[in-house]
Amino acid sequence: MGEDSDDVLIGNTAALSGPMSSYGPYIRDGLEYAAQQINDDGGVLGRDLRIATEDNESDPETAATTALRQMDEGAVAVTGPVLSDVSIRVRHETEAQQVPFLPIQGASPRLLDKETRYTFRVGALPAPYYARATGEFVEHIGADNYAAIVADYSYGHSYQEGIEEFVKSIDGLNTQVELAPAGADDFSSQLRALPDDIEYMDLGGHPVGIFTIIPQMWEVGLDPDATSGPGDPLPIFYDALGDDIDRGITQIHMVDPTTDEYVDVAQQYFEETGEFFDPFTTFGYVTAQLVAEAIEDAGEADPQAVRDAISDIRFDSLLAYPLEYNEWGELTESKLQVLEFNLDSPPYYPDSDFYVESLFETDTFEPLDPDEWE
């Protein structure tokens, strides 16, 4: 897609380097694939949709600078960040400039407050809801012994609050939670403090350490029936764990990759690009579709009009929930999927050595009240 002053611009401040660099390319490719489809179908209001991607280096200040530049260049919306602190920093600038912001991730309950009016969740729910999904799944499988390792920083603390609310309240469940530094590379002391009959290991509260914790967990003799982690790009899990990925490893995610709608898009994506349609590709794809739909609904590519249209929209997509928002940009309803890895290739990507399928879908969640959480 060539650049044109008449293009409708979405700014993508992307994690293409730094600690979250494995996420950024999937998100960028999803945004660009959706824009290509939209443009092939006539564009938005007869104009091409263009994705302007800049590297935010997984850094809050760099992300803020790139977002400001994109807004100065006329972006009708901004997206891209993964880390919560990056999303929160960009939110300050987009709210001030009154430009819609759709962070791809940002699970901190502090991403939104009741005064935000231009920020809308897409691909990540608030951290406590991942603990809520874990609690529902623990009950579903009938586990009696649960353990978690939680990172000692703001996201981990929010997740631990969710454990207190939604997991420890389960009747008859034995629980033990160990706190670990966010940047730790040795978790043997926390793991050895756990009883050896753990049936469910919850690592959703320590996303940075998960690929260190899992092998060390097996090394110390712990072999739970299920181990859950955050929704990272799926190939990262396989690259890190190899064929051990089928030892009860699960993700809690916003996408069910086994639905007919998902498989159709993923198959077409593979045929056109030769690439794997990851859930993070989905988040970029859905975000571009949502903005385009809002522009069409508004009848103009103006940030304020787009914001108003997003506020009124109910958009069905490849996610497990429709995109519909309350007054401060929280999803009015949402749900999560527990996905299990197995050693097979999906129908939409024959080159893969692994596949995920949905084991469990949560109840529908109402909007989280930010005043009730850290």
Side-chain angles (χ1 to χ4, degrees):
M1 275 181 293
E3 295 186 13
D4 189 294
S5 60
D6 194 45
D7 290 348
V8 176
L9 177 66
I10 296 176
N12 176 30
T13 171
L16 299 178
S17 62
M20 309 307 288
S21 60
S22 56
Y23 295 70
Y26 289 104
I27 297 164
R28 176 201 62 207
D29 293 349
L31 286 161
E32 292 182 351
Y33 185 61
Q36 173 191 315
Q37 288 189 326
I38 290 164
N39 293 339
D40 288 347
D41 197 37
V44 286
L45 305 178
R47 299 162 61 185
D48 273 355
L49 183 66
R50 178 164 61 89
I51 310 301
T53 297
E54 293 187 69
D55 184 12
N56 66 30
E57 302 174 2
S58 305
D59 174 73
E61 293 307 316
T62 303
T65 299
T66 60
L68 283 167
R69 182 160 50 244
Q70 291 165 347
M71 289 186 288
D72 286 344
E73 292 172 358
V76 298
V78 174
T79 187
V82 176
L83 286 170
S84 288
D85 59 347
V86 176
S87 294
I88 290 168
R89 181 66 184 87
V90 172
R91 182 206 70 192
H92 289 307
E93 302 299 342
T94 53
E95 290 282 329
Q97 297 290 326
Q98 299 185 340
V99 172
F101 175 44
L102 300 100
I104 297 297
Q105 296 281 274
S108 170
R110 296 187 297 108
L111 174 63
L112 302 171
D113 60 42
K114 291 183 179 178
E115 304 305 316
T116 55
R117 290 296 181 269
Y118 292 83
T119 305
F120 304 92
R121 288 193 190 273
V122 179
L125 302 188
Y129 279 174
Y130 291 89
R132 179 174 173 179
T134 297
E136 288 188 19
F137 186 56
V138 165
E139 288 192 285
H140 174 72
I141 65 174
D144 295 318
N145 301 305
Y146 162 98
I149 295 179
V150 174
D152 189 10
Y153 73 115
S154 58
Y155 168 80
H157 298 161
S158 296
Y159 193 90
Q160 188 167 9
E161 286 187 69
I163 292 172
E164 296 289 334
E165 178 76 15
F166 300 117
V167 180
K168 289 190 173 183
S169 59
I170 297 172
D171 288 341
L173 182 67
N174 301 312
T175 65
Q176 185 167 332
V177 178
E178 295 291 325
L179 199 64
D185 56 12
D186 183 358
F187 298 88
S188 57
S189 62
Q190 288 87 3
L191 291 164
R192 292 186 189 281
L194 300 176
D196 59 10
D197 59 352
I198 292 300
E199 298 166 273
Y200 194 102
M201 175 67 80
D202 182 3
L203 303 179
H206 207 309
V208 177
I210 186 169
F211 299 122
T212 304
I213 298 172
I214 291 175
Q216 290 181 1
M217 174 183 75
W218 291 327
E219 287 171 9
V220 304
L222 297 176
D223 195 12
D225 296 332
T227 298
S228 63
D232 291 43
L234 301 179
I236 295 176
F237 268 72
Y238 185 77
D239 289 346
L241 300 175
D243 286 354
D244 284 334
I245 201 78
D246 71 342
R247 293 176 62 176
I249 304 301
T250 64
Q251 277 195 4
I252 297 179
H253 232 312
M254 289 66 61
V255 175
D256 179 355
T258 64
T259 65
D260 291 343
E261 295 82 3
Y262 190 97
V263 170
D264 287 347
V265 174
Q267 178 69 47
Q268 184 177 359
Y269 184 75
F270 170 70
E271 291 171 356
E272 294 185 12
T273 70
E275 300 295 330
F276 177 71
F277 195 75
D278 185 82
F280 279 85
T281 317
T282 309
F283 299 149
Y285 181 81
V286 167
T287 298
Q289 288 184 317
L290 173 65
V291 174
E293 183 79 6
I295 292 168
E296 293 286 351
D297 289 351
E300 58 179 317
D302 170 76
Q304 182 64 54
V306 172
R307 178 263 168 209
D308 292 344
I310 293 174
S311 295
D312 290 337
I313 208 164
R314 182 179 175 87
F315 184 68
D316 290 320
S317 70
L318 296 181
L319 303 185
Y321 43 81
L323 295 172
E324 183 177 50
Y325 298 97
N326 70 6
E327 63 182 314
W328 64 82
E330 191 59 86
L331 290 156
T332 59
E333 58 183 272
S334 58
K335 60 179 64 175
L336 290 165
Q337 306 283 326
V338 178
L339 307 179
E340 181 182 49
F341 286 87
N342 59 64
L343 299 178
D344 198 358
S345 59
Y348 53 83
Y349 193 70
D351 296 339
S352 179
D353 294 318
F354 68 89
Y355 185 43
V356 291
E357 56 187 345
S358 181
L359 290 179
F360 178 75
E361 182 178 86
T362 67
D363 294 336
T364 299
F365 303 154
E366 296 180 350
L368 177 138
D369 185 339
D371 293 341
E372 296 180 359
W373 299 90
E374 179 180 298

